[in-house]
Amino acid sequence: MTARSVKGAAFAVLLVASSTASACTRGHEPAVPGEAHRVVSLGPATTEALFAVGAGNRVVGRSRYCDFPPEAARVPAVGGIEPDVEAILQLAPDLLVGPSGQWSTPLTERMRAHGIATWFPPEVATLEDVDALVEGIGDRTGHAADARAVVASMDAREKAVAQALARTEAKKPRVLFVVDVQPIVAAGPKSFADEMLRRAGATNVLADGGAWPALGFERVVDLDPDVVVDASMAESTGPERITASEAGWSGVRAAREGHVVPLRDERVLRPGPRIAEGLAVLAKLLHPEAPIP
């Protein structure tokens, strides 16, 4: 299952890929011990982590979707969802990192044949997994202490959000968290977005099923969410995509009552070092009355 819409599609596909890793791709370890000095990163989250821990000057290649921090955009791109192997080899990296996917196991084998280490972190299903990703990047680049400091800062921000929400008496809204609309794809209970909703003071209306199920309008109407978070808006500047005037959505109570929250901030669903900022963004959207830091 993939999501669509060019930059929005890339966002959704990378999101799903990083959250539905194959069980056979469980964080390949570097082939040669020691810290990496030339790194190619194939995902926005790992690229952000490299720069956050102080290893940005070691990034020699990136996917075309790696756009933060701004310095990352100056690094040569090596393709999109499926990377260009020849472009990677020309950069002579000693480490290749990124989200797991169907392509990561054969890519690992090809890199190993050239003496290039790979690390595709295991499934990102919780905020604790995001911490592990950042620390894993630090361990592989000689920035372990810096990575621990980044994780400590993330954890402190997440704790501050929890404390702020604890001081409000607002009820928890039942939320449908949509990441694409054609078809409708939403965050299920096995996605890390599910934990983001819980940590942001909400209840996911999808209580069973997989991480990113596709839904029909009949199912959405039956779920009857109080709020629809339209995360298909992330990384977009276009018009809102979920309104009561759109076909199908007129039957959804939240859309009719104006309880659709457009989400245009990629920090909420990029499982990297800015995820705690994303949690604060989501909590503020769902609880504007709470003193979210």
Side-chain angles (χ1 to χ4, degrees):
M1 183 273 296
T2 58
R4 304 170 191 157
S5 86
V6 191
K7 195 174 182 187
F11 161 77
V13 172
L14 287 169
L15 167 65
V16 172
S18 67
S19 302
T20 56
S22 167
C24 65
T25 311
R26 303 302 293 177
H28 301 287
E29 295 298 326
V32 180
E35 71 181 65
H37 294 276
R38 293 182 61 82
V39 185
V40 171
S41 174
L42 301 180
T46 48
T47 297
E48 289 191 25
L50 283 158
F51 279 87
V53 304
N57 61 344
R58 303 187 186 196
V59 180
V60 297
R62 63 177 176 92
S63 83
R64 69 168 62 101
Y65 307 116
C66 299
D67 57 4
F68 188 89
E71 306 92 275
R74 295 194 286 269
V75 176
V78 295
I81 303 301
E82 294 188 6
D84 182 334
V85 174
E86 293 305 317
I88 293 172
L89 294 177
Q90 288 176 9
L91 294 170
D94 51 12
L95 177 63
L96 180 68
V97 298
S100 294
Q102 292 182 342
W103 44 266
S104 52
T105 296
L107 184 58
T108 291
E109 294 170 356
R110 293 192 67 175
M111 293 298 107
R112 184 179 290 125
H114 292 274
I116 300 169
T118 60
W119 186 55
F120 299 109
E123 179 178 348
V124 176
T126 67
L127 293 182
E128 186 176 347
D129 293 337
V130 179
D131 289 352
L133 181 147
V134 173
E135 290 181 344
I137 290 292
D139 290 342
R140 288 163 175 78
T141 57
H143 287 273
D146 299 298
R148 288 194 296 271
V150 171
V151 167
S153 177
M154 292 162 57
D155 292 349
R157 183 72 181 275
E158 291 159 12
K159 183 178 180 180
V161 170
Q163 291 173 337
L165 289 171
R167 291 194 291 269
T168 181
E169 297 182 357
K171 71 172 186 176
K172 294 182 178 181
R174 297 173 61 259
V175 176
L176 179 69
F177 197 108
V178 176
V179 297
D180 200 9
V181 295
Q182 294 179 340
I184 300 170
V185 178
K190 296 181 181 178
S191 67
F192 82 91
D194 179 76
E195 182 180 2
M196 290 286 283
L197 284 172
R198 286 186 277 110
R199 296 266 197 130
T203 300
N204 190 349
V205 294
L206 286 171
D208 51 42
W212 303 100
L215 308 173
F217 280 113
E218 185 175 328
R219 178 79 191 282
V220 174
V221 171
D222 288 343
L223 289 168
D224 191 29
D226 300 319
V227 175
V228 174
V229 172
D230 183 6
S232 71
M233 303 297 295
E235 302 194 351
S236 169
T237 57
E240 296 180 15
R241 303 179 72 191
I242 297 177
T243 67
S245 62
E246 293 292 329
W249 288 103
S250 60
V252 180
R253 176 175 59 89
R256 291 197 309 271
E257 296 178 354
H259 296 157
V260 175
V261 179
L263 176 61
R264 298 179 184 269
D265 197 319
E266 77 276 4
R267 289 176 295 178
V268 177
L269 282 179
R270 275 196 184 177
R274 295 189 293 161
I275 197 66
E277 298 174 29
L279 177 62
V281 168
L282 183 59
K284 287 176 183 177
L285 286 174
L286 296 174
H287 295 282
E289 77 290 346
I292 307 295

